[in-house]
Amino acid sequence: ILNVEQSPQSLHVQEGDSTNFTCSFPSSNFYALHWYRWETAKSPEALFVMTLNGDEKKKGRISATLNTKEGYSYLYIKGSQPEDSATYLCAFRGSTLGRLYFGRGTQLTVWP
Amino acid sequence: GAGVSQSPRYKVAKRGQDVALRCDPISGHVSLFWYQQALGQGPEFLTYFQNEAQLDKSGLPSDRFFAERPEGSVSTLKIQRTQQEDSAVYLCASSLAGGAEQFFGPGTRLTVL
């Protein structure tokens, strides 16, 4: 069984706060780590695909880091806005087929 | 459209009914995946197609679940004799190749009463 864990399960912050969440995954047979943002009633939207140990990626106020040797990735949101409210999913891909192994997600609510 | 589309968006079925869920991938995408997300869980892999070939169906939970992609484009996930535990969001994703980034549809929420 391949375990992908995300924490915290849910998070409530005030507008303007910065926040971060964690994804842990197996450190063996690593191919890629995906982050998705999923708003209710919409399609999951790809944020980052990370492949190299030490990778850091940034998209606007959102950034992510990757440590494949210890099996974790952090997602950071700087200056949270209400429109950042969504579920953030991470997904691990091993070295074989393209199937993704998802965590349960972190549900973020940003209050105005 | 430019993205992956799924229909219906919502489906309510009585226990024992058969249902069919449709996925229209992005044009030209070779690979197509189905995932099932039960309440409180992350999406879980069901099956994977490369063109019309079903290369991996190891995630299908029982022989009541069947998926096809006869012309290598549109895919249908069929669930026979639905049970309450089949209630979930069914997500479809497509990609240019098996190892490439996956683009997801909005999902079909199935409720079995």
Side-chain angles (χ1 to χ4, degrees):
Chain A
I1 296 177
L2 196 151
N3 269 340
V4 178
E5 302 286 342
Q6 289 189 250
S7 62
Q9 188 176 336
S10 65
L11 198 53
H12 296 253
V13 301
Q14 287 292 130
E15 182 176 356
D17 288 351
S18 293
T19 187
N20 66 85
F21 356 109
T22 304
C23 173
S24 63
F25 51 87
S27 54
S28 59
N29 295 324
F30 177 85
Y31 184 87
L33 193 283
H34 298 245
W35 281 100
Y36 287 89
R37 165 198 157 100
W38 194 5
E39 291 182 69
T40 304
K42 294 187 178 179
S43 303
E45 172 198 355
L47 290 173
F48 304 112
V49 180
M50 309 181 79
T51 56
L52 297 175
N53 184 45
D55 248 357
E56 290 189 27
K57 297 210 171 182
K58 189 174 179 182
K59 190 185 229 183
R61 293 179 293 99
I62 305 177
S63 60
T65 61
L66 179 69
N67 183 324
T68 60
K69 293 185 178 178
E70 296 182 38
Y72 65 84
S73 175
Y74 294 135
L75 188 79
Y76 301 91
I77 303 178
K78 185 177 177 182
S80 303
Q81 300 296 309
E83 57 265 31
D84 296 329
S85 297
T87 296
Y88 291 82
L89 290 165
C90 73
F92 168 89
R93 185 192 293 166
S95 58
T96 53
L97 293 176
R99 62 182 288 180
L100 297 177
Y101 295 85
F102 282 89
R104 293 186 180 191
T106 293
Q107 187 171 9
L108 175 66
T109 304
V110 182
W111 300 101
Chain B
V4 178
S5 61
Q6 293 187 244
S7 61
R9 292 292 308 276
Y10 303 91
K11 176 71 180 175
V12 178
K14 290 184 180 177
R15 194 169 60 141
Q17 277 186 330
D18 297 348
V19 298
L21 312 180
R22 177 187 168 107
C23 172
D24 284 81
I26 293 172
S27 178
H29 277 196
V30 167
S31 298
L32 186 145
F33 301 82
W34 284 97
Y35 294 88
Q36 177 194 57
Q37 187 192 29
L39 190 65
Q41 305 294 318
E44 292 194 5
F45 170 81
L46 292 176
T47 187
Y48 160 57
F49 290 86
Q50 187 169 300
N51 295 307
E52 67 277 4
Q54 190 174 18
L55 298 187
D56 186 350
K57 55 181 181 179
S58 62
L60 296 176
S62 78
D63 59 8
R64 296 185 296 103
F65 286 71
F66 172 76
E68 60 183 5
R69 193 185 185 198
E71 296 178 1
S73 178
V74 170
S75 177
T76 304
L77 177 67
K78 296 179 179 177
I79 309 173
Q80 296 177 323
R81 303 181 303 282
T82 51
Q83 304 294 312
Q84 283 189 319
E85 61 263 28
D86 300 335
S87 296
V89 175
Y90 291 85
L91 289 167
C92 173
S94 70
S95 67
L96 277 171
E101 181 178 347
Q102 293 179 27
F103 294 85
F104 281 83
T108 294
R109 180 176 295 277
L110 172 66
T111 303
V112 181
L113 302 177

